[in-house]
């Protein structure tokens, strides 16, 4: 047998180039480098040669062998890295699938839906009114005439649009109370309104952002009293914060309610004992009160016959006050940081 090493080398290299997949690579390996492969045959066949010839040929064959081995391992890693190989495909098929990520509703949307559901059980009807509205509905109809100092509290954004002689300027609604008179003008009595909407004020710190959400309840019927207001608030607080949460009405002053209250609940962090967060054991939730007769009049309702209550609270605020959530900076809710949002 004539041992043409160069020819074999050329042949092996060519075949290796054509073996683009793992099966072909292993066939190539068996053919050239396997136990019964050509290189071994070559080695076996030189046993009859003279010692010098044997030595020389042995060297050449071993060099060929190590070259081919190197070529093979390079080809193997190349093929593996481009993952074309059907063997690899088969292997991947057996791996567990990668689950597509499923998103979820934003924390605020979840809270809005929950608040909506609680009030729906009491027969409240969810409505929405413009997020950009006339000064008239935001202030004037709510017993706050133009230039009344109480307006300052609402840190209002004014929209650069022409003023209307009767309705005034255009504002970004600074509270959902702007829906009260709109509802009175539109809806039939009795009214059980739940207005959840986006509001805007010029403010930003740990507890305030320029854009936030409020939910506003408005009930108007014959004989509505503070007891009804308390009953509804208790229902909300017990459902949203839990039965152990106590609340109190603290006298306050809003131009559109009389009497007016601020509603406090026992602190969710310390259970009302008093801590660094709440100081005296109570935390303030939001405003409430009995609808002012002037507001009823603005809505075309006779205050001699009808009475009502209203309350307006921040969605984010009640969310942050819920025990167990422990969000200490309202701005986190608006940053769209996935690491934060994914936790809820
Ligand atoms: N609109 C008031 C606020 O934004 C809250 C409020 C609503 C108070 C309804 C009384 C009645 O602070």
């Amino acid at each position: 047998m004539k041992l043409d090493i160069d020819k074999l080398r050329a042949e092996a290299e060519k075949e290796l180039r054509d073996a683009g997949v793992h099966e072909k690579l292993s066939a190539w390996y068996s053919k050239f480098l396997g136990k019964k492969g050509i290189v071994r045959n070559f080695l076996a066949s030189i046993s009859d040669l003279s010692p010098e010839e044997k030595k020389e040929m042995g060297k050449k064959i071993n060099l060929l062998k190590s070259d081919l081995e190197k070529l093979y391992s390079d080809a193997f890693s190349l093929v593996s890295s481009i993952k074309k190989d059907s063997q690899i495909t088969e292997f991947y098929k057996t791996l567990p699938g990668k689950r597509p990520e499923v998103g979820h509703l934003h924390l605020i949307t979840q809270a809005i839906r929950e608040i909506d559901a609680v009030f729906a059980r009491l027969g409240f009807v969810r409505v929405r009114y413009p997020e950009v509205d006339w000064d008239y509905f935001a202030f004037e109809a709510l017993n706050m005439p133009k230039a009344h100092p109480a307006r300052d509290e609402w840190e209002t954004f004014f929209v650069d649009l022409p003023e209307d002689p009767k309705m005034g300027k255009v504002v970004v609604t600074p509270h959902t109370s702007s829906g009260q008179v709109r509802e009175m003008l539109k809806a039939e009595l009795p009214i059980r309104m739940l207005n959840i909407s986006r509001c805007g004020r010029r403010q930003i710190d740990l507890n305030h952002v320029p854009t936030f959400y409020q939910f506003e309840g408005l009930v108007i019927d014959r004989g509505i009293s503070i007891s009804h207001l308390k009953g509804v608030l208790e229902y909300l607080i017990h459902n949203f914060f839990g039965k152990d949460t106590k609340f109190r009405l603290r006298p306050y002053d809003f131009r559109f309610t009389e009497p007016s209250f601020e509603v406090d609940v026992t602190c969710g962090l310390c259970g009302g004992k008093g801590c660094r967060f709440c100081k005296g054991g109570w935390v303030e939730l939001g405003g409430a009160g009995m609808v002012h007769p002037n507001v009823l009049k603005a809505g075309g309702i006779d205050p001699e016959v009808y009475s009502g209550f209203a309350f307006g609270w921040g969605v984010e605020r009640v969310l942050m006050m819920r025990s167990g959530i422990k969000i200490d900076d309202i701005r986190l809710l608006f940053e769209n940081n996935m690491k934060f949002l994914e936790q809820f």
Side-chain angles (χ1 to χ4, degrees):
M1 181 166 107
K2 178 164 179 343
L3 298 183
D4 191 340
I5 290 178
D6 292 334
K7 191 171 162 230
L8 180 61
R9 182 189 287 272
E11 196 188 328
E13 282 176 9
K14 180 181 179 303
E15 279 188 33
L16 187 64
R17 253 179 264 122
D18 294 337
V21 292
H22 279 110
E23 288 104 321
K24 285 195 188 165
L25 277 185
S26 22
W28 179 94
Y29 192 89
S30 319
K31 179 174 169 185
F32 292 98
L33 296 169
K35 275 191 187 140
K36 292 179 180 158
I38 300 175
V39 174
R40 290 266 183 142
N41 272 344
F42 271 24
L43 279 174
S45 69
I46 59 171
S47 54
D48 309 335
L49 298 178
S50 69
E52 280 94 310
E53 276 183 317
K54 212 156 104 180
K55 199 174 162 198
E56 200 194 326
M57 281 308 280
K59 245 188 182 169
K60 283 190 180 167
I61 296 170
N62 277 326
L63 180 68
L64 173 70
K65 186 168 173 256
S66 65
D67 285 349
L68 291 186
E69 245 145 15
K70 169 88 173 61
L71 283 178
Y72 171 79
S73 75
D74 288 350
F76 188 88
S77 36
L78 183 70
V79 167
S80 303
S81 74
I82 54 181
K83 294 183 186 137
K84 259 199 210 145
D85 187 345
S86 62
Q87 251 181 356
I88 293 217
T89 315
E90 287 306 314
F91 169 67
Y92 278 125
K93 275 188 201 158
T94 66
L95 285 176
K98 205 177 162 208
R99 285 184 182 279
E101 277 188 43
V102 182
H104 63 72
L105 294 175
H106 190 278
L107 205 48
I108 295 178
T109 312
Q110 290 179 31
I112 288 177
R113 293 202 178 177
E114 211 178 310
I115 293 164
D116 192 9
V118 171
F119 283 106
R121 293 203 287 275
L122 296 176
F124 280 72
V125 178
R126 169 95 184 263
V127 298
R128 285 191 79 170
Y129 287 110
E131 290 176 10
V132 170
D133 207 345
W134 297 110
D135 175 294
Y136 177 78
F137 289 111
F139 294 112
E140 190 133 10
L142 295 177
N143 202 28
M144 281 183 275
K146 282 195 187 63
H148 194 283
R151 287 175 170 223
D152 283 357
E153 261 185 63
W154 278 271
E155 297 166 307
T156 311
F157 286 117
F158 289 90
V159 180
D160 200 2
L161 282 173
E163 198 172 327
D164 180 88
K166 186 165 172 285
M167 307 304 264
K169 292 185 178 161
V170 179
V171 301
V172 175
T173 51
H175 55 177
T176 41
S177 301
S178 59
Q180 285 191 16
V181 170
R182 280 191 176 274
E183 175 79 5
M184 293 178 205
L185 294 174
K186 191 194 86 182
E188 307 244 307
L189 290 167
I191 287 171
R192 258 182 272 185
M193 168 195 95
L194 179 68
N195 176 23
I196 309 184
S197 182
R198 203 155 34 162
C199 304
R201 291 187 199 178
R202 291 187 49 189
Q203 49 178 24
I204 188 151
D205 62 32
L206 281 184
N207 283 308
H208 300 93
V209 278
T211 300
F212 56 99
Y213 289 84
Q214 278 195 342
F215 62 100
E216 180 103 3
L218 176 70
V219 171
I220 298 175
D221 203 350
R222 290 167 197 262
I224 294 291
S225 70
I226 297 176
S227 330
H228 296 113
L229 169 63
K230 281 188 79 174
V232 169
L233 295 185
E234 183 183 73
Y235 188 78
L236 170 70
I237 288 163
H238 284 176
N239 275 279
F240 203 79
F241 297 108
K243 288 252 182 308
D244 297 333
T245 307
K246 296 190 182 54
F247 73 103
R248 68 180 182 191
L249 301 184
R250 187 162 38 78
Y252 198 74
D253 172 47
F254 291 108
R255 291 279 302 173
F256 37 96
T257 45
E258 182 56 40
S260 301
F261 310 102
E262 288 236 288
V263 183
D264 297 337
V265 291
T266 42
C267 172
L269 292 180
C270 64
K273 286 188 214 77
C275 65
R276 231 158 50 120
F277 176 71
C278 65
K279 305 201 172 79
W282 296 95
V283 283
E284 177 198 315
L285 266 193
M290 303 306 292
V291 182
H292 194 287
N294 288 352
V295 178
L296 290 172
K297 281 188 213 150
I301 294 171
D302 183 354
E304 298 297 327
V305 184
Y306 288 96
S307 56
F309 65 78
F311 54 89
W313 298 356
V315 172
E316 297 85 359
R317 190 154 177 86
V318 297
L319 186 64
M320 287 164 73
M321 250 154 227
R322 199 174 195 173
S323 58
I325 289 200
K326 299 201 173 138
I327 301 169
D328 55 7
D329 185 344
I330 190 172
R331 293 169 292 195
L332 285 168
L333 293 168
F334 294 93
E335 274 170 0
N336 289 336
N337 177 346
M338 292 301 282
K339 288 213 172 73
F340 171 76
L341 294 174
E342 275 165 0
Q343 298 172 59
F344 303 99

